[in-house]
């Protein structure tokens, strides 16, 4: 099922953050959401996850309004990985990942064999099995980020919404995680992620949504959006393409015109 936003307006604290946004996100694709600080990227992801209510417009999961879907059902369909990776309770990493199964379990029911299987798969994918028994509060920033992603993946959602998932990871784990996102999309999951790195977006994204001050600058195939003109409008910089045919664009100077 597509995840659709139509003429979307969202405000925070009395200030309008998103303005008339239209986009269709498709299963089996990775969409990178890019833009300068304050462009509305996190607000968009939180709205797609059902955590914020639009002022106007609609968010649809297939043919159903997101706000009309039961929260447990919505949690089974959409997994959200927030930018803030804080952990405030002292549970083991394995038990934290198991919490991702909560939408699939009856209240007060213990884990089923399916819950254990999904948790083990998620920890294998994220490379966190080796510290399953360690307290989550003692993990490094990168380890914590991988465990929190495992918690989302344990829920086996149809959609993964990830807000800067690479921010706390070293280069090797960044590349590994990008490969895992590519695999998940290849298996049919829809992935929408906020990124800041244009090179990583060029590496991983099928489509790119480029925002500036809550408005869409461009939305389409990565090769068409990650080009000098739309990037200059979104970021206020001059951009040059790397002359190796890779399709990678690099900022080269602030545009003061």
């Amino acid at each position: 099922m597509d995840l659709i936003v139509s003429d979307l307006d969202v405000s925070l604290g009395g200030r309008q953050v998103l303005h008339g946004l239209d986009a269709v996100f498709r299963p089996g694709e990775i969409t990178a959401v890019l833009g300068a600080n304050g462009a509305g990227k996190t607000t968009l992801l939180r709205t797609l996850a059902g955590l914020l209510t639009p002022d106007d417009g609609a968010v649809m999961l297939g043919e159903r309004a997101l706000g009309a879907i039961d929260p447990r059902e919505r949690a089974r369909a959409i997994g959200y990985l927030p930018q803030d990776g804080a952990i405030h309770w002292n549970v083991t990493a394995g038990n934290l990942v198991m919490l991702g199964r909560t939408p699939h379990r009856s209240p007060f029911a213990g884990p089923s064999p399916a819950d254990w299987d999904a948790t083990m798969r998620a920890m294998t994918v994220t490379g966190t099995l080796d510290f399953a028994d360690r307290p989550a509060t003692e993990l490094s920033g990168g380890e914590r980020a991988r465990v929190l992603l495992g918690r989302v993946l344990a829920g086996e959602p149809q959609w993964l919404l990830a807000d800067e998932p690479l921010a706390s990871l070293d280069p090797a784990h960044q590349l590994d995680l990008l490969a895992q996102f590519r695999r998940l999309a290849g298996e049919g999951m829809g992935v929408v992620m906020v990124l800041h790195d244009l090179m990583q977006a060029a590496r991983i994204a099928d489509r790119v949504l480029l925002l500036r001050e809550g408005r869409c600058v461009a939305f389409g195939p990565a090769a068409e959006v990650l080009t000098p003109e739309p990037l200059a409008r979104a970021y206020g910089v001059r951009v040059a393409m790397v002359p190796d045919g890779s399709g990678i664009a690099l900022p080269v100077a602030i545009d003061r015109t």
Side-chain angles (χ1 to χ4, degrees), residues 8 10-12 17-18 42-55 59 66:
L8 189 68
V10 179
S11 296
L12 292 175
V17 179
L18 298 178
T42 294
T43 297
L44 173 60
L45 247 63
R46 293 182 66 199
T47 306
L48 291 174
L51 301 177
L52 294 176
T53 301
D55 301 330
V59 180
L66 194 64

Side-chain angles (χ1 to χ4, degrees), residues 19-103:
H19 305 261
L21 201 62
D22 294 300
V24 178
F25 305 101
R26 299 185 179 121
E29 291 187 348
I30 296 175
T31 301
V33 182
L34 306 178
N37 293 339
K41 304 182 296 296
T42 294
T43 297
L44 173 60
L45 247 63
R46 293 182 66 199
T47 306
L48 291 174
L51 301 177
L52 294 176
T53 301
D55 301 330
D56 204 356
V59 180
M60 308 288 291
L61 182 60
E63 297 182 354
R64 303 170 67 189
L66 194 64
I69 300 174
D70 175 79
R72 286 178 60 86
E73 180 183 353
R74 189 172 65 214
R76 290 192 293 269
I78 300 174
Y80 174 58
L81 183 66
Q83 185 181 138
D84 178 10
I87 297 172
H88 301 291
W89 58 97
N90 195 27
V91 298
T92 65
N95 285 333
L96 185 60
V97 174
M98 176 64 79
L99 289 175
R101 298 298 299 171
T102 301

Side-chain angles (χ1 to χ4, degrees), residues 225-250:
V225 176
L226 296 176
T227 53
E229 192 275 332
L231 290 173
R233 284 194 287 134
Y235 289 101
V237 296
R238 293 203 301 275
V239 176
M241 304 301 294
V242 176
D244 61 359
S246 63
I248 292 174
L250 293 176

